Amino acid sequence: MTEYGRGPGSEPWHPEDPLFGDVGWEGQQAQVGQQSSYGGQPQHYPEQPQQPQQYGDWGHGQQADYGQAQQQYPGYDEQGNPHYPDQQQWADQQQYADQSHQQYAAQQQQYQQGGWDGTGEPAQVPYAADPGDPYAQQAVAYGEQQPDFYGTPDAFPPPEPPGKRRTEPEPEQTDWDPGPDQGEHAFFAGADDDDEPDDDDPGAGRGRGDRRGEGGKGKKKSRNGCACLLVVLVFGGGLGGVGYFGWHLYENRFRAAPDYAGSGNGDTTTVTIPKDAGGYDIGRLLKAAGVVESVDAFVSAQQANPDGKSIQDGVYTLQKRMSATSAVELMLSPKSHNNLVIAEGLRSSAVYELIDKRLAVPKGTTASVAEKDYKSLGLPNWALNHPNLKDPLEGFLYPSSYAVTKGQKPEAVLKGMVSLASAKYQDLGLEKQAKALGLDGPWQLLTVASLVQAEGTSHDDFRKMAEVVYNRLKPDNPQTYGRLEFDSTYNYVKNQSKIDLSITELRKYDNPYNTYFYKGLPPGPIDNPGEEALKGALNPTRDGWYYFISLDGKTSKFTKTLAEHEKLVNQFNEARTKH
């Protein structure tokens, strides 16, 4: 079988034959399945070793007649010498070739005219089977489907004589043929993203076979440069990002944070630290003020100091260009504290004077603001619209440490104090527990706490002092009959703090705050109570106390009857006489 799979066919010519190569391949091959000029009969030439066939030209565009082709085929003996058939055999072959040619011409004419018989069906043209065709490629009638292996662009070319054969050239690399690197993605191989041809491409609109057969070359599109640039940018940016973050990681973890040396340059400054500020918050404030060089240095120094986390909010007087360690140590020392401290039980009038002094404003400025603008300072609703008040802010300037510095306005300072008091009273539950204690509301409870704060001498007796208040407020109590009779209320009206008061004087002074003159509670608080006094008012004892007296000015003694109380009063007077 030949390498084309068409059966043994005729024996190849000897290369020395002068007519070698003129085999009639001058056009497209005959349709596959048509009979050969030999009628499908095998030729009886001596067998000759088959020489390898290579691809060659397709001839000159015209197909040779079958008869002419047959006349050119000699045979060869076993030694390779040409052997021509005798005259009779040659004549028979010539006659048979002529008949085959006429039959082929008739078939071609019938096919061109439509090849239809009288029934309207395609005419059937029988052909004899070729016994030498091992692939059963017999001819079929024109009208039946048969694959054409030689009429398509992908068909094998006809054999070429050895003398005219040449080495097959390497396939040209084109934009549609990626070459040996066929596994490479089309993007990097220079292929287009789509299959649409360019307008200026001579092969536009053709398939791959058309462009290959006609040799047309379109505009070669290549994106190798863009692809390489993109790869360089991506990898370059990635390496740059890794380097950037790596450097910062080294800076943050392995390199010491910038820090000043020494305890400062002598230039003082004040820094206000807000409530609940953390280490980084404090560090940023100190750096902004020029105290420390970096936030990280301060945080490290704060963590290294065992007491570093105990730095409180407030105003601190520090020096500029301090080392972080020196700044932490100074902030932990009382020497640096520059806060406005409001003590427990301090009256509002005293608080106003302290604010004026800290803000460096004329005396009475803060008191005037409190009197005119108290409704806009953040008081809760239950603290408004109470009659006969000496000071509407009394009880709401909560005792604490405040960061007050020169340049602030009195309104801002008062708002901060009122805000803290309101939050504290809400946390303690003044509104919820007032009714349970027999009071009208949180305003009265706050007033009780201010009385406990004013009369108590220590934290230990605040609960007992609260019980004295509640017992005396009962209108039918057999000891005071609803009068409190606290010296502190009289002193509040007089804006004084005396202990040697005449009973006659106390009972004659007509003022709503004078609990010797009026039953029940005063119109409002008489000071600003602290947390311990508030808790005492919320949780009084239940022991039956009605009276109290302080013999040493530090602690109080409590009694349940007036007789027991008078004995203690006599002891107190005797002690004063001796001194």
Side-chain angles (χ1 to χ4, degrees), residues 518-535:
Y518 288 92
K519 292 182 178 182
L521 291 171
I526 61 174
D527 57 37
N528 293 281
E531 185 173 358
E532 292 297 326
L534 289 165
K535 290 181 178 180

Side-chain angles (χ1 to χ4, degrees), residues 12-46:
W13 286 24
H14 195 278
E16 298 178 0
D17 195 309
L19 298 179
F20 178 80
D22 296 337
V23 296
W25 295 98
E26 296 182 356
Q28 295 291 334
Q29 291 242 12
Q31 297 290 334
V32 176
Q34 295 177 359
Q35 283 184 327
S36 68
S37 60
Y38 298 99
Q41 300 297 325
Q43 302 300 315
H44 300 285
Y45 297 125

Side-chain angles (χ1 to χ4, degrees), residues 464-528:
K464 294 179 180 179
M465 190 66 67
E467 183 185 0
V468 170
V469 174
Y470 291 130
N471 288 338
R472 289 189 180 187
L473 286 177
K474 297 175 182 179
D476 57 349
N477 76 82
Q479 300 296 326
T480 62
Y481 303 98
R483 284 188 174 86
L484 289 179
E485 296 184 349
F486 277 11
D487 293 353
S488 56
T489 59
Y490 178 83
N491 285 331
Y492 177 74
V493 173
K494 296 291 185 177
N495 198 23
Q496 60 186 19
S497 298
K498 294 182 179 181
I499 58 175
D500 294 332
L501 297 175
S502 169
I503 298 296
T504 303
E505 181 183 355
L506 291 171
R507 294 186 185 276
K508 290 181 179 179
Y509 184 69
D510 185 0
N511 189 283
Y513 280 90
N514 185 7
T515 55
Y516 281 93
F517 194 91
Y518 288 92
K519 292 182 178 182
L521 291 171
I526 61 174
D527 57 37
N528 293 281

Side-chain angles (χ1 to χ4, degrees), residues 105-336:
Q107 292 174 0
Q108 284 292 92
Q109 181 177 5
Q110 182 182 4
Y111 178 78
Q112 294 174 356
Q113 293 175 356
W116 303 96
D117 59 15
T119 63
E121 296 296 332
Q124 302 294 327
V125 181
Y127 289 89
D130 185 1
D133 187 1
Y135 287 87
Q137 296 182 6
Q138 291 107 354
V140 296
Y142 286 101
E144 300 233 357
Q145 185 70 27
Q146 180 69 15
D148 187 336
F149 297 96
Y150 295 95
T152 63
D154 294 330
F156 289 106
E160 189 177 35
K164 294 185 178 182
R165 297 174 187 171
R166 59 182 179 272
T167 305
E168 183 180 0
E170 293 292 334
E172 181 181 358
Q173 297 289 335
T174 62
D175 57 344
W176 48 264
D177 186 1
D181 295 332
Q182 296 182 6
E184 187 177 9
H185 194 278
F187 178 81
F188 294 98
D192 296 334
D193 291 338
D194 50 25
D195 295 333
E196 296 182 3
D198 290 344
D199 295 338
D200 56 351
D201 190 348
R206 302 188 185 96
R208 291 192 176 188
D210 295 333
R211 289 201 281 182
R212 182 191 305 159
E214 297 182 10
K217 294 184 179 180
K219 180 180 180 181
K220 185 176 181 180
K221 295 183 179 179
S222 176
R223 295 186 179 177
N224 292 337
C226 295
C228 293
L229 179 61
L230 178 62
V231 171
V232 170
L233 291 177
V234 170
F235 282 95
L239 292 175
V242 170
Y244 176 80
F245 287 108
W247 172 256
H248 277 272
L249 179 63
Y250 169 78
E251 288 282 322
N252 294 334
R253 293 196 175 186
F254 301 103
R255 186 175 179 179
D259 194 8
Y260 293 128
S263 57
N265 60 2
D267 186 7
T268 60
T269 184
T270 58
V271 180
T272 302
I273 305 301
K275 186 178 180 180
D276 299 328
Y280 283 97
D281 298 327
I282 298 174
R284 281 190 287 268
L285 293 172
L286 295 180
K287 180 181 179 181
V291 176
V292 297
E293 187 173 4
S294 67
V295 177
D296 291 339
F298 175 81
V299 172
S300 299
Q302 184 188 31
Q303 294 176 350
N305 193 307
D307 300 327
K309 293 186 177 180
S310 62
I311 296 177
Q312 302 295 321
D313 58 306
V315 180
Y316 294 85
T317 301
L318 305 169
Q319 294 189 36
K320 292 185 177 183
R321 302 183 69 85
M322 299 180 68
S323 68
T325 301
S326 299
V328 172
E329 292 177 354
L330 186 57
M331 294 182 75
L332 292 173
S333 172
K335 297 179 180 180
S336 66

